[in-house]
Structure formats: C-alpha cells, structure tokens
Amino acid sequence: MTLRMRTAPDSPATVEDYQNIKTSRLVIFWHNRLLISAELHRRFSAPRRMNGLVSASKDGSWLAAFFIMLGIGAIRGSSSRRGGQAILECSHCLHNGEDLAITPDGPRGPCYGFKSGPALLAQKTGVPVVLVSSRYHKAKRLGSWDGFYLPAPFSRVDLNFEIVEASALAGMSPESAGEFLREKLLSRTDDTGFDKNPASKKNSGV
C-alpha cells in the first residue's frame, strides 16, 4: 500500500484508459510481477469483480487463499492440471462481465514464456486484452525460476499498459496469437538495472 504507482511515460495506454473499459477485461502480466496484482486491482479496478487463474498445485492453494482474502476470486488450473475445466470457468467469468487476470508464464515457466491459453480465451470471448508490465525503481529480485520481484516499501512503480482488442487476434492460431501478445508484453517489460538471469542468486535492487 505504500508503493507510489504511476503510468510510465512511454506507456501506450494510461490507468484511466484501463479503468474506462466497460466490458470484461483479460489482464495479463508476468509471474515475476505477481506481487502487485492485488494492489493494482484495489486501486484501479475495485469494486469490479476480479478473478485470478491460480495453479491447482498445493503451492497454488496459498495464493488462492490470499486472493480470496482480498476479495479476488480464484480459478484453479494450469496447462498441466485441470486445464480444460479451468478454461471453461475462465470463459464463464468473462462472459458474465467479470475480469480475469493471468500470468502466461506461470506457474513454472520458462520466464517470459507465453502459453496459448490466454490468447485462446480472448479469441473465444471477444474481450479486450490488457497487457500490464511494471518497472520497479527499488526492489530485490529473488533467485527463483522467474526472478520474482519484491518492491521496496515507499518506492516508485511505473505501470506500462497496452490494450489489445480481440479483433487484432482474429484469424490467428492460438499459438500465433500467444506469440503476438508475448512480443507486445515483452516490449513493455523493462528489467533495466537488474540481472537479466532469473536463476542468478546475485539479483538485487538498484
């Protein structure tokens, strides 16, 4: 709650553009920036209903409980477990006017990989995709598979938004659409000042 969030100067869209979307939104961000997702919702989306796709693993239970405590719904599933049912539940919540947040490289990577499920959901439901990345001006980066970011209290976070209409994905295969979205999200991702090797134990803040 102490983080100072603002729209990045080079962001194609603003916080206001994100807030002004009247339909359901499919929000996509990298797994290593997961920590601020709940605060992003609290500041800029509430009281709209938000759901998060969370791994069906035992570890995912902790994240699901955290989301539910904050008023965010949890849909359990991943590409390796309960995937088909999760896609159906995600489609249902988007058709019902609710928002959905997904980390396309979670829960096990590779870092900045992009599974085709989020693109398939956008194509099937017709909802706009909101790509969100963030640059931390002061943070620690863990030695996990994704180089998870822990922003320092009272530090600044620049939010970078790009809104992609579902029509932009028309005619593509889910795999091609996923790669299209991946390239766009990568172009919004700035790891300047941090070790770019997520597995390195030497990652630290600047």
Side-chain angles (χ1 to χ4, degrees):
M1 294 175 66
T2 67
L3 296 176
R4 294 177 284 120
M5 294 185 179
R6 69 171 191 178
T7 302
D10 61 337
S11 178
T14 65
V15 167
E16 290 74 20
D17 294 329
Y18 169 68
Q19 292 175 309
N20 289 335
I21 298 174
K22 302 303 181 184
T23 64
S24 297
R25 301 169 294 194
L26 176 56
V27 184
I28 297 178
F29 51 92
W30 299 123
H31 192 274
N32 60 18
R33 289 159 167 84
L34 180 65
L35 189 62
I36 67 163
S37 60
E39 185 62 15
L40 188 69
H41 169 66
R42 187 186 73 84
R43 294 191 192 189
F44 306 124
S45 295
R48 290 176 59 144
R49 174 70 173 175
M50 172 65 78
N51 302 276
L53 180 61
V54 181
S55 168
S57 67
K58 183 177 180 181
D59 288 343
S61 299
W62 293 98
L63 181 58
F66 175 68
F67 278 174
I68 292 171
M69 181 179 67
L70 297 175
I72 300 174
I75 297 174
R76 306 297 304 277
S78 67
S79 58
S80 60
R81 185 177 178 187
R82 204 176 175 272
Q85 182 62 30
I87 287 288
L88 290 176
E89 292 178 24
C90 288
S91 297
H92 182 71
C93 84
L94 290 170
H95 281 306
N96 279 354
E98 300 176 1
D99 292 343
L100 176 69
I102 293 180
T103 55
D105 55 345
R108 296 181 180 178
C111 183
Y112 300 153
F114 205 107
K115 299 177 179 68
S116 60
L120 178 63
L121 275 173
Q123 291 174 315
K124 284 185 171 295
T125 61
V127 303
V129 177
V130 183
L131 303 172
V132 186
S133 192
S134 52
R135 181 173 188 269
Y136 301 104
H137 287 257
K138 190 175 183 181
K140 289 185 178 180
R141 198 171 185 191
L142 304 183
S144 57
W145 64 264
D146 60 347
F148 197 87
Y149 282 103
L150 293 175
F154 302 99
S155 62
R156 196 176 84 203
V157 181
D158 288 345
L159 300 171
N160 210 312
F161 297 90
E162 183 163 358
I163 299 170
V164 179
E165 297 296 336
S167 58
L169 308 178
M172 297 185 189
S173 68
E175 292 74 20
S176 295
E179 184 60 24
F180 174 79
L181 294 174
R182 176 180 179 271
E183 290 300 321
K184 282 192 169 292
L185 186 53
L186 276 176
S187 72
R188 309 261 64 86
T189 301
D190 182 5
D191 288 325
T192 302
F194 293 89
D195 187 332
K196 293 183 181 299
N197 177 10
S200 172
K201 295 293 184 179
K202 298 179 180 179
N203 290 322
S204 59
V206 294

